Structures are given as C-alpha cells and as structure tokens.
Amino acid sequence: MDSFESERAPLPRNMIENSMFEEEPDVVDLAKESPSYPIDSDDVVYEPRSSRLLVRGLGENDLDEDEEDYESSARLLGMSFMNRSSNQRSASSSYTRQQPSGSCSMPSAKTTVVGVLILVVVVSIFMVIYFVPGCTFTRNGCPKTNSTMNNVYPKSTSGELFPWNELRLPSSVHPVRYEISLQPDLKNMIFQGSVSIKVEVLHETKIIVLHSSDLNITKATFEGKVVPVLEYKPWLQIAIKFPEDLKKGTYSLNIHYTANFSNSYDGFYNSSYVDTNGTKRVLAATQFEPLAARKAFPCFDEPAFKSTFLIKITREPNYISLSNMPKVKTTDLKNGLQEDEFKESDTMSTYLVAFIVAEFISYSRNVSNTTVSVYAIPDKKEQVHYALDTAAKLLKFYNTFFEIDYPLRKLDLVAIPDFLAGAMENWGLITFRETTLLVGNNSSPIDKQLVTSVIAHELAHQWFGNLVTMRWWNDLWLNEGFATYMQYMSISNVFPHLDINTEFLNVRFKALAKDALNSSHPVSTVVSTPEQVEEMFDSVSYEKGASILLMLNATLRDGEFRKGVIEYLQKYNRSNTESEDLWNSLSQVSKQNVNVSEMMHTWTVRKGFPLVTVKRNGTQVTLSQEHFLLNAENSTDNSSLWHIPLTYVNESCSVLSSCKQVFHLKDKTAILKLPAKVKWLKFNFRSEGFYIVHYDVEGWKDLIEALQNVTVLPCEDRAALINNIFALSRLGKVSFRQVLNLMNYIKNETETAPLTEALFQLGQIYRLLDKRSELNLASRMKSYIDDHFGSLMESQSWELESSVSKMTLRSALLEMACSLNRLNCTTQAKRLFDQWVDSNKTFQIPSDLMTTVFKVGAQTEDGWDVLLSTYKHSICDAEKRKTLEALASTQDVRKIIWILQKSLDGSEIQTQEFPLVIHTICKNFAGYLYAWDFVKENWGKITQKFSIGSFAIQNIIISATSQFSTKTHLMETQNFFSSLGAKGSQMRIVQEATETIKQNMRWMEKNLDTLQHWL
Ligand SMILES: [Zn+2]
C-alpha cells in the first residue's frame, strides 16, 4: 500500500504559499451511516458513471487480472501510458522480436553481417550529406541561428514569421527600468496600462523579445517612433523587429495596452466579497509568481531579468492602492480619480512586483527603519493584531540572524478575501489568504501556529528569493527550501511554545513519502515549459529542500551554517544564483573535513533518497545504501550513491544532542567499527537526516526491546521508527507482523509525535480497506485502533486547552475516535455542537476540536443547515474553513454534489476552496467516486480556474485518485489522463497518481492475507 502521498498531504501542510490549507489532521473518514435524507431522484442531477458501477460489495476486485493481462488489454484499448517503465518497453520489444517458427528461412550469419555492414555505410553517407550543414567544417562552425532546429520559426498572430523560437528570452537585451502606469476600472473589470521600459542592448541584435499574455497592445514606440509588435500567443511572447542591428547601449520602449482583469487567480485579478452590511465589495490584486507578471504588463518575465520598477496607479478616492514601495505622492485627476505614485523600487525580479486597489484598513508599527503594517477588510480590523506583533518579532529576528537589515522602508502584510495561494512574498507587499494572516478572538494556538508559520516563511523570502534570487525556476528550491527551513528555525527560536519541531518532523516524513516514488524529481531539475515551471511548486522544492538543509546544518559545526548563509547573502546581494553558489559559500566556512559542495550535490541532482541497511555482528557494523524506491520495477537508475552523514546513538547515551556520533557513508557499503559492544544502535538521530534506516532482524528486535522503556529515545526517534517501519513494509523489506511487533509499545506512548504518526499510518490502511469494501478487515483494524488507543481517546479533555502539543494530539485522537463512531466521542461532540447551536453560536468550542465537532454536527439535516449558514456569514476565515470541511464530510450524496458544483462555480462557496472540498469529500466512502467523476467531467472548467501543473491541480488529482487500489480504477485513471492531451496528460502528478494506485494495489495484494491473520 502506498497512499501516504495521498493522505499525508495532497500537498503538504507546510507548503506555505500553496496548500497547507488542504490538510487537516484528519485520520479517517466519518463513520458511514446510511444517508439520513431520503434521496429524491429528481434532485440528483449528477450521477457518476463509475459510482453506478463500483458500489460497495459489487466485488470490483474480482475484475483484477495480473499486471501483464492488464497491459495487453490496455494496449488493445489504445491507451498511452504516462508511466511506461524501461523494462516494460523492453518487454514489449522482446515480444515483437518473436517470429512465428518456420514462417521464413533464416539467412546465414555471414550474409547477415555483410548485409548489415553495407546498410550501415549507405545510411551513414546519407546522414552526413543530409544533416551536416555546410558550415560544419568551417573555422567558426555554425552560427547558432543556422542550425536546423533554429531555422523553424513560428507564425505570429498577424501571419508574419515570429523572429524567435525558444521559450526562454534572448539574452542580448536586458531591462533596466520599468515605469508602469495603470488605470484599473473595477466597475467594468478592465484596465488600461502603459509601460515604459528602459532596455540595455548587450549584444548587437535586430530583435527585442519580451513576454505579454492576454494584453491588447494598442500602440508601441521605440525611441519615440511607432513600431509594429508581433505576437506569438502560444509562448506568451511579443517581438519587435528592426531592419538594422541595434548597437550596444540603452533605449526606450513604450507600450500602451488594455486588458480584462484575469478571471483566474493569477495576473492582475479582481476579487469580491460581501461585507457585514450585505454590500458587495470589489477589489483588484496581483499574483505574479511564477509566470503571470506578463498578464499585467509587457515585461521580460524571467527571474534573472532584474530591474527597477516605478509604478503609478489610478483609483477612485474611496479606495487605497498599495505596491511594493512606499507611496510618494497622490495627484488629483480631472475625472475625479486620483493617481498614486510609488517610489522607484530596488532592483528585483518581475514575479515579485505587486499592486492592490481595495478598501482596506491597516495597523502599523515601526521596527528599526521599517514601518510594518497589516491590512485587511474593515470588518476584520480586530483580527490583525496578532499578525502585526508576530511580523515585528520575526523581522527583528531575521535582521539579526542574516546580519543584513531588511532593505525597504516599509513592509505590508495584506489579507486578500479571495486568494488561491497561501501567501506570496512580493517584496514589501506580502499577500496572504485571510486564514494565514488573520486571527480571531477565539483562535487557538494552533490557528496562531499556522499564521506564524506563513509569516515566518514569507519574511524569510525577503532575503531568500527577493534579495538573492534563483537564476531560473530549476533552482526554485533555493527560494522555497530555504524559506521553509528558516520558517521552522525562526519559530523554534522566537515562539518555542508553538511546538513547531513536531510539525517540521511531520513535514520531513511527508517529503520522504513523496520522494519514494519514481515520479519524483531531483531538487534541482531542468524545466522549460510553463507547466513544468508550475510543477516545481511541490513537496520536493519546499519540504525536501528544507529537509536537506536541516541535515546539512546538523552536520556542520555550531554557527558554520549561519556564517555560510550570511556570506552567500552578502556576496550575491541583489543578484541571481544557482545551487552551487550556496554550497560554495558554505564550503568556505566549514572548518571540518566535509566537502559541502560534494556532499550536497548528491542530494540535489539525484531524485529520491537512500535506504541505509544496518547489519551488526558484535562490534562490527556493516552499512550499505541503496535507492529507496517503492516501485522498483520502474527504476531508471540503480547506481545512485549519496554522501550520507549517518548519525547514530546507543544505550549508553541516546537522548542528548551530544550523544550523537557521525559516520560519513559515501560508498555502496562500509564497515563501522564500534569501540565496545552495545545493546542496540539507533541510526538517524532525531530523524534529522533525509534517509530511512532498516536493521537486520536482531537490530529491530533489540530496538523493540529497548522501547520497553519509552524514554530511552527522544520522541522524534520513536516517531521515526514508526514511520520507517511502515515505509519498509510498503517496500516489502519487513512483514506487517514486524510492524505490529513494533507497534506493541504504543500503549505506553504519551508523546504527540509518535502517537500522531502511528494514527496517521493506521488511518491510511483503514481507509484503503474501507474503500475496497474489505468490511471485515476494516472492522478489525478499527478494533485494533480501539485496543491500542482507546484509553487515550477516553482520557482526552473537551475543555479549552493551551498547549499546542496537547491540542495536536487530542485533535488527532478525537477526530479518529469520532470517525470510527466511538460512542463517547460522538456523544461529547454532539453535546458541544448542540450547546453551540443553542447559544446562538456564542458558546466557544475549543478551536482545535471544532472540525471534529462540526463534522459530527453536519450529519443531521438541521446541523448541516446551521453550518451552511455559518459558512456564509462567518467573518473568521479559520472557522469558515472548518465549517466547510464539515459540510463536505456529509454522507448525503445530494449535498456532496451541491458542494462540488457550488465550489467550482464560486457562487456560494469560494472557488479558492475547491481543492479542499475535493480533498475532504474523497476521504469519505460516500462521495469519493462522485468527486472523481466530477473532476473528470469538469476538467475543462477546472483548468480554466487553476493552471495546469499548479499546486491546486496537483492537489485535486492526488486527492481524487490516491485512495484507489484496484486495477479497474487504475485503468480508468490512466485512460482519463491520457485522453487529455495538451490539457494535462504530461503532468508529473499524473505519473505520481498512477504510481500511487499501483503501489496501493501491490500492498493490498501482498498484505490482505497477513492482515486477516494478524489483526
Ligand atoms: Zn515560499
């Protein structure tokens, strides 16, 4: 089985800008009761085909055939497989080589050799004549533009040839300064703009090529003279051709244009909300990363084309406008409008430019030389204070930590009512979802942990990303991995009570799960198409990036990591970098015998991570490494070796950091000599390294025995043992019996990290069994959970709680308990829900229990109606999301369909929540097939709202498919995605989805019997 991808995170919780919102610590779905609503057939407007076929008990598993049969029938169906493995290919070619015996006589070996030689010579001569251009043998070789490929130019919109044929812009012309003037019209949802770009010609050229998307260009002048503009829409480029070479020097290019506001969540888009008086309010905001600045103004939209920006915005007097820099003046215009002009910016990348026109209020505070302000809609003015306080503290921390002060005079944090990403680090104007910035009066420390995390992440970007920027999107991890790492590091320093280390541990487990699939990719990966750029915003860039930085920091001596980072930031201040630049800076400060560059190279250019196997014989320990790959038959590379800074402890000293010993494993195998005999060894201290450890039978046995005394290892190590043994069971290295042997200690466990990890792992298995209609096994799994966690579930309080760690634990336990229909849990939850309803929603449900309580409440008709009204009227976004999760967890099919439709069209449920809706519905048996069919049938609409490859799309696909574990569903999934063509068939996430289903199938086939026996 492997749905750990699926449940752990459709996209991970800490992927701050992206998707932390799609995940809550639910462990299993709600108990299935028969729908309490009689379904009127007239009301059911949507009935998925697959749901009609695949209902519980129909025995879909009977359809399973073996892999080979499946492949052949798929071939017959003409399906194209995204995930073809090399050995599948070789198998099919060996098939075609087979000749029917005796169909023709075989030529002699000699004739064959002579014939082949003649053929080779003829073909070679032909190829030389045909392909080698005339200039090959000249001294200068071929000028690049003469090569065969480069001579093929596309046609521009006007029919004339477009003078450029690459996705990346030519490097001969650089922008130096933009002056942008915008006149947004919020009534008619259009805007007019003009941009004056000062460009520098570095090499003589006859063309200027830049980006533009969905802009209607009305006039362009170059050095004051009108010039025609050619457009090639598929690549979002425009070009100006000149009859003569432009000499080196600076020139001025002016472009006037009009455009509609974007109706997706990127570019310059409009957003609306209804205030507490019932009035609809409209605003306009931007989201440019990665490729949408070109939707707001023509520009050189690549991160390495850094430039300065001077921005002017026209608005009505009752609105305010904001941009990256402080406002320098406001001018009254004749038409009653006003124009704000902002100070010219520092040199920066286009994706960091931002502007907003809205009716917001703000609170401010000075930190050093910077004015920090938090903006929100007036109805939520009481919810900004926590963010302001937190941002001020974190800004001070980073100013000190990096030894470079935040360079701008102002820092705005703005909560946007309709915003798809979690947050965006625009320099000086960070935009957030309301959930990630605003904290209500009743918000718990867990809600605050989320807000703190997002602010810490975005502030870290002001240095990592904004001051020093990756050269190209292949090194996105330099931005995201670093910001993610810094977010945990800063919070554990500044807000130790938020228990962020447990969260970071979970994040590392998530990253391992994703990276164990063949569909994963190296941290630093070649990307060229827009879809590939979008796909980089994933767990590998964020979470694996952060994990390998933790491993490096834990390997270096105290202070060296920080010193190297400071040196890197100083050296590359306001410029662009690649991974190697960071490693070189860190290598220079490392006083140890560790070649940082050589070590980290193995972690950034190879996908996946190592499995370290430990075999002990007395004092001699044999260590070996191999690629931990769940679908090994698809492996394309078996020779990967990592430079692993292996850490270990033993019984003589095992809890403190000072106990940790290090062994650098660089080869396939190595011998570690211990100075004395030990009872047991535990590798990967506190799971700080990005690898999984397997022990021989004795090694596991010794550790299981050692766990009789729970405190013998730090809680991170206990959680990691649980995580690792489940992963090894998926890999087939240990039996499920061994897993259960280790799990026996859990009755003595009290700490959050190991308990939530165990619940998570068991919950995944339970859900897969449930979805396969293995009712008997699902019920035995339920008894197993009852037996091992029951007393802990019973002992949880339902009162207000202040410890984050305790809240995290009890919300996981009680959510599981109520979903398994434990009477005590559902009764208590119902009691709180009724109290809340009876008090006209003034009774305070502990915030960490709200989802559980609401989910129980949502199972009755009245409860659901109350929650829907709460969703519509609540001004607390965190509460709204919990309410929506409860609404989407209904067992009533009519309601499920209603939510799917309303969240996609955005009429009653915000479209930004569509991924969360899909994720929540797919956890439950009642709706997961409906959700899948809905996704398939509405794919066109969905990809209009969310870009192909984006985190939202990744999230939707994984949520909708990761619970499948049968061949029928595998075929259906592959069939659907292969039919999409340009609309998404090439996405990496599609490969991940099919791989996950195959993994689920394999695990189930292998372990169903074991489960019968051992549960
Ligand atoms: Zn980020």
Side-chain angles (χ1 to χ4, degrees):
M1 181 205 79
D2 176 29
S3 74
F4 61 150
E5 211 37 57
S6 56
E7 287 315 323
R8 175 75 76 181
L11 277 186
R13 183 159 31 180
N14 86 315
M15 198 182 291
I16 291 301
E17 282 90 352
N18 298 348
S19 58
M20 58 203 316
F21 321 96
E22 319 320 334
E23 196 180 4
E24 291 297 326
D26 318 54
V27 185
V28 292
D29 29 331
L30 280 160
K32 289 165 293 298
E33 295 160 5
S34 31
S36 41
Y37 316 93
I39 297 173
D40 180 342
S41 58
D42 290 335
D43 287 348
V44 179
V45 290
Y46 181 83
E47 187 178 3
R49 290 186 305 270
S50 59
S51 310
R52 283 198 292 267
L53 287 172
L54 302 170
V55 292
R56 187 185 286 268
L58 248 186
E60 56 183 286
N61 306 333
D62 297 343
L63 298 172
D64 290 3
E65 299 159 350
D66 63 40
E67 185 82 11
E68 202 175 298
D69 284 347
Y70 165 63
E71 287 285 324
S72 343
S73 47
R75 244 181 257 128
L76 283 172
L77 289 168
M79 288 164 55
S80 83
F81 287 90
M82 292 294 302
N83 198 16
R84 280 252 190 247
S85 65
S86 51
N87 55 11
Q88 280 168 332
R89 272 198 299 273
S90 63
S92 68
S93 59
S94 70
Y95 173 77
T96 56
R97 272 203 305 278
Q98 289 170 5
Q99 300 281 335
S101 60
S103 63
C104 64
S105 60
M106 297 295 283
S108 73
K110 191 178 165 188
T111 317
T112 311
V113 170
V114 172
V116 167
L117 275 176
I118 292 170
L119 193 65
V120 166
V121 171
V122 170
V123 169
S124 308
I125 292 168
F126 172 77
M127 286 179 72
V128 167
I129 293 168
Y130 189 82
F131 287 111
V132 174
C135 52
T136 299
F137 303 108
T138 64
R139 183 183 293 183
N140 297 327
C142 290
K144 202 177 172 208
T145 49
N146 274 5
S147 72
T148 311
M149 281 306 291
N150 284 348
N151 277 336
V152 182
Y153 289 104
K155 263 192 185 169
S156 62
T157 317
S158 66
E160 201 176 326
L161 279 188
F162 193 76
W164 186 246
N165 59 357
E166 290 178 31
L167 277 162
R168 298 284 296 274
L169 299 181
S171 56
S172 46
V173 179
H174 277 230
V176 181
R177 176 179 191 270
Y178 291 81
E179 192 172 321
I180 302 165
S181 180
L182 292 155
Q183 292 97 44
D185 176 350
L186 294 177
K187 286 198 183 80
N188 297 305
M189 296 303 162
I190 53 171
F191 63 97
Q192 279 187 31
S194 67
V195 57
S196 168
I197 314 175
K198 189 169 148 193
V199 295
E200 185 171 6
V201 174
L202 301 174
H203 309 288
E204 293 187 357
T205 178
K206 285 193 174 68
I207 55 169
I208 294 180
V209 185
L210 62 162
H211 290 109
S212 167
S213 170
D214 298 327
L215 303 177
N216 171 31
I217 293 172
T218 50
K219 185 182 173 189
T221 61
F222 184 77
E223 291 291 287
K225 286 185 192 154
V226 175
V227 285
V229 176
L230 298 171
E231 180 166 19
Y232 182 54
K233 286 190 172 172
W235 287 359
L236 316 173
Q237 291 173 348
I238 54 173
I240 296 147
K241 284 203 283 195
F242 300 92
E244 304 290 331
D245 270 341
L246 294 173
K247 305 288 176 211
K248 287 183 188 175
T250 54
Y251 300 87
S252 166
L253 171 65
N254 289 288
I255 301 175
H256 296 260
Y257 59 96
T258 59
N260 293 320
F261 280 116
S262 163
N263 56 10
S264 55
Y265 287 97
D266 61 359
F268 193 16
Y269 73 95
N270 66 286
S271 160
S272 65
Y273 62 95
V274 177
D275 69 15
T276 41
N277 297 324
T279 312
K280 187 179 175 186
R281 305 278 178 179
V282 185
L283 62 104
T286 57
Q287 166 64 40
F288 290 163
E289 193 184 23
L291 308 173
R294 63 194 70 172
K295 285 184 162 186
F297 57 98
C299 56
F300 297 77
D301 200 6
E302 293 183 9
F305 286 117
K306 286 193 170 185
S307 175
T308 65
F309 295 84
L310 189 149
I311 293 171
K312 297 176 190 171
I313 297 180
T314 305
R315 57 169 173 79
E316 289 189 12
N318 54 326
Y319 278 81
I320 60 161
S321 76
L322 296 167
S323 186
N324 305 81
M325 303 299 290
K327 189 167 75 179
V328 287
K329 67 173 178 189
T330 296
T331 313
D332 289 326
L333 304 177
K334 284 181 188 156
N335 52 8
L337 301 177
Q338 293 180 321
E339 184 189 69
D340 293 331
E341 181 178 327
F342 299 90
K343 188 170 177 270
E344 186 162 340
S345 76
D346 268 35
T347 178
M348 61 193 255
S349 304
T350 43
Y351 78 90
L352 293 168
V353 174
F355 30 86
I356 295 169
V357 178
E359 298 164 282
F360 285 156
I361 54 89
S362 68
Y363 287 88
S364 305
R365 184 181 303 178
N366 284 333
V367 178
S368 306
N369 293 318
T370 303
T371 305
V372 181
S373 309
V374 178
Y375 287 82
I377 62 169
D379 288 340
K380 299 184 180 176
K381 63 173 188 246
E382 297 307 324
Q383 300 177 29
V384 303
H385 303 291
Y386 180 79
L388 185 58
D389 198 37
T390 303
K393 284 179 181 154
L394 285 164
L395 187 61
K396 269 186 212 157
F397 173 84
Y398 286 135
N399 276 340
T400 311
F401 185 88
F402 293 131
E403 292 184 4
I404 298 174
D405 275 356
Y406 171 76
L408 310 185
R409 299 297 299 273
K410 68 107 175 167
L411 175 63
D412 297 335
L413 296 88
V414 186
I416 311 262
D418 203 15
F419 190 78
L420 181 63
M424 175 62 212
E425 70 264 21
N426 316 301
W427 215 357
L429 182 63
I430 310 176
T431 44
F432 295 78
R433 269 192 185 212
E434 292 187 330
T435 328
T436 57
L437 191 67
L438 305 181
V439 171
N441 291 336
N442 297 336
S443 299
S444 75
I446 288 194
D447 298 327
K448 289 178 181 164
Q449 187 197 55
L450 171 68
V451 169
T452 314
S453 287
V454 183
I455 294 176
H457 182 102
E458 303 310 327
L459 285 194
H461 270 313
Q462 307 301 307
W463 286 262
F464 273 94
N466 301 7
L467 198 63
V468 180
T469 314
M470 77 261 141
R471 182 157 294 135
W472 178 242
W473 300 105
N474 64 315
D475 275 325
L476 178 68
W477 85 275
L478 276 174
N479 274 12
E480 298 306 346
F482 233 102
T484 306
Y485 181 57
M486 288 309 302
Q487 121 198 14
Y488 295 117
M489 187 210 260
S490 61
I491 293 176
S492 70
N493 275 283
V494 184
F495 304 95
H497 65 282
L498 290 180
D499 191 32
I500 206 69
N501 291 335
T502 305
E503 178 67 16
F504 191 17
L505 181 69
N506 279 329
V507 160
R508 303 201 290 280
F509 292 157
K510 288 174 198 169
L512 286 167
K514 181 121 175 167
D515 208 23
L517 295 172
N518 205 32
S519 54
S520 186
H521 60 90
V523 168
S524 185
T525 296
V526 175
V527 288
S528 51
T529 66
E531 291 79 16
Q532 288 169 343
V533 171
E534 294 275 1
E535 285 185 322
M536 287 303 281
F537 292 80
D538 71 357
S539 173
V540 173
S541 297
Y542 283 73
E543 304 184 326
K544 184 178 179 182
S547 305
I548 62 174
L549 289 170
L550 169 72
M551 179 167 67
L552 175 61
N553 194 2
T555 307
L556 296 174
R557 286 198 187 132
D558 258 4
E560 286 182 347
F561 181 80
R562 181 180 165 208
K563 232 170 135 183
V565 165
I566 291 169
E567 178 149 327
Y568 167 83
L569 289 172
Q570 282 172 347
K571 185 169 176 186
Y572 298 104
N573 192 337
R574 290 178 173 77
S575 59
N576 295 82
T577 56
E578 294 167 356
S579 300
E580 213 51 44
D581 299 322
L582 175 65
W583 304 143
N584 287 339
S585 294
L586 284 155
S587 288
Q588 280 166 19
V589 300
S590 171
K591 297 275 183 287
Q592 291 177 78
N593 221 2
V594 181
N595 182 334
V596 173
S597 195
E598 176 263 325
M599 178 172 102
M600 295 312 289
H601 196 68
T602 67
W603 295 92
T604 44
V605 302
R606 273 172 213 148
K607 77 174 175 188
F609 60 87
L611 165 67
V612 175
T613 303
V614 179
K615 287 184 177 140
R616 184 159 64 91
N617 187 358
T619 56
Q620 181 166 305
V621 184
T622 309
L623 302 163
S624 59
Q625 62 161 300
E626 64 191 285
H627 187 173
F628 187 105
L629 192 59
L630 282 173
N631 294 306
E633 84 273 18
N634 288 337
S635 171
T636 47
D637 176 17
N638 290 319
S639 59
S640 299
L641 285 179
W642 285 263
H643 176 160
I644 313 166
L646 269 182
T647 53
Y648 59 99
V649 292
N650 61 46
E651 76 276 5
S652 63
C653 178
S654 58
V655 179
L656 302 173
S657 289
S658 54
C659 300
K660 177 176 83 176
Q661 302 183 65
V662 187
F663 179 88
H664 285 270
L665 179 63
K666 300 181 197 174
D667 301 319
K668 180 102 183 119
T669 58
I671 304 285
L672 163 68
K673 279 276 194 189
L674 300 174
K677 270 198 149 187
V678 293
K679 276 194 193 155
W680 51 263
L681 281 171
K682 162 74 177 64
F683 279 77
N684 200 1
F685 182 65
R686 289 193 169 153
S687 208
E688 288 171 338
F690 198 70
Y691 52 91
I692 281 179
V693 186
H694 179 37
Y695 302 87
D696 55 12
V697 177
E698 288 300 310
W700 276 114
K701 202 167 139 248
D702 296 339
L703 279 167
I704 290 168
E705 265 176 39
L707 281 176
Q708 297 300 318
N709 171 12
V710 172
T711 55
V712 77
L713 283 169
C715 64
E716 294 95 330
D717 279 303
R718 281 150 27 216
L721 283 174
I722 294 170
N723 172 277
N724 283 194
I725 205 161
F726 272 96
L728 289 164
S729 143
R730 289 185 191 97
L731 193 63
K733 292 274 180 188
V734 303
S735 67
F736 199 68
R737 184 185 169 184
Q738 268 178 286
V739 175
L740 296 179
N741 281 346
L742 175 74
M743 289 291 289
N744 277 337
Y745 101 95
I746 207 82
K747 285 184 182 170
N748 300 325
E749 185 58 82
T750 55
E751 292 282 342
T752 302
L755 283 167
T756 50
E757 181 60 20
L759 279 173
F760 170 78
Q761 297 287 354
L762 294 169
Q764 282 203 103
I765 298 175
Y766 173 82
R767 236 179 296 185
L768 274 184
L769 292 170
D770 181 50
K771 300 260 163 66
R772 279 178 71 105
S773 301
E774 296 283 354
L775 297 184
N776 178 29
L777 283 177
S779 120
R780 280 155 76 172
M781 178 57 86
K782 183 177 171 235
S783 308
Y784 178 87
I785 294 170
D786 269 344
D787 185 40
H788 287 74
F789 298 86
S791 60
L792 208 52
M793 287 168 172
E794 298 300 316
S795 66
Q796 297 304 306
S797 107
W798 291 75
E799 308 295 320
L800 289 172
E801 170 62 64
S802 60
S803 147
V804 173
S805 177
K806 281 186 184 162
M807 279 190 279
T808 309
L809 177 59
R810 83 166 173 186
S811 62
L813 282 165
L814 294 178
E815 176 122 20
M816 171 72 98
C818 278
S819 66
L820 294 180
N821 231 357
R822 281 180 67 92
L823 194 58
N824 198 11
C825 185
T826 49
T827 314
Q828 289 276 18
K830 191 76 178 51
R831 184 180 60 79
L832 291 197
F833 185 76
D834 291 344
Q835 242 176 305
W836 177 73
V837 174
D838 293 344
S839 71
N840 203 16
K841 304 176 191 173
T842 55
F843 171 74
Q844 196 181 342
I845 300 169
S847 174
D848 55 307
L849 298 180
M850 206 176 257
T851 312
T852 301
V853 169
F854 283 177
K855 278 187 175 178
V856 171
Q859 301 309 315
T860 67
E861 187 87 36
D862 288 347
W864 202 86
D865 290 344
V866 170
L867 287 165
L868 182 60
S869 145
T870 307
Y871 174 78
K872 286 181 179 165
H873 299 114
S874 171
I875 60 159
C876 171
D877 206 53
E879 183 183 86
K880 264 178 103 113
R881 286 179 63 83
K882 289 167 190 166
T883 314
L884 183 59
E885 269 191 81
L887 291 170
S889 72
T890 175
Q891 309 291 305
D892 183 338
V893 171
R894 287 176 312 167
K895 291 183 166 32
I896 289 171
I897 293 163
W898 185 86
I899 291 184
L900 285 166
Q901 287 170 336
K902 295 301 172 190
S903 57
L904 184 58
D905 69 26
S907 55
E908 296 187 55
I909 292 168
Q910 289 173 296
T911 303
Q912 65 173 11
E913 306 294 16
F914 183 71
L916 175 70
V917 165
I918 291 285
H919 178 61
T920 310
I921 290 176
C922 286
K923 280 188 192 165
N924 294 322
F925 185 85
Y928 83 113
L929 293 175
Y930 282 93
W932 167 230
D933 275 3
F934 188 85
V935 167
K936 285 189 291 182
E937 295 190 4
N938 292 281
W939 187 254
K941 273 189 210 161
I942 293 171
T943 50
Q944 276 169 15
K945 306 261 184 185
F946 310 105
S947 314
I948 290 172
S950 64
F951 62 86
I953 288 289
Q954 293 177 35
N955 198 344
I956 290 164
I957 292 176
I958 283 298
S959 296
T961 60
S962 63
Q963 315 250 327
F964 294 154
S965 64
T966 65
K967 199 154 292 175
T968 312
H969 276 133
L970 174 66
M971 283 184 72
E972 203 185 282
T973 306
Q974 288 176 314
N975 204 13
F976 170 67
F977 286 112
S978 63
S979 74
L980 293 179
K983 285 188 192 161
S985 67
Q986 297 302 314
M987 284 185 290
R988 188 185 290 126
I989 199 72
V990 171
Q991 198 186 341
E992 184 182 319
T994 52
E995 210 181 321
T996 302
I997 301 170
K998 283 182 185 173
Q999 177 61 25
N1000 290 345
M1001 287 163 58
R1002 205 170 299 128
W1003 195 90
M1004 280 292 164
E1005 275 162 29
K1006 206 168 166 187
N1007 287 292
L1008 279 180
D1009 286 347
T1010 321
L1011 289 171
Q1012 298 277 9
H1013 196 197
W1014 289 104
L1015 272 185

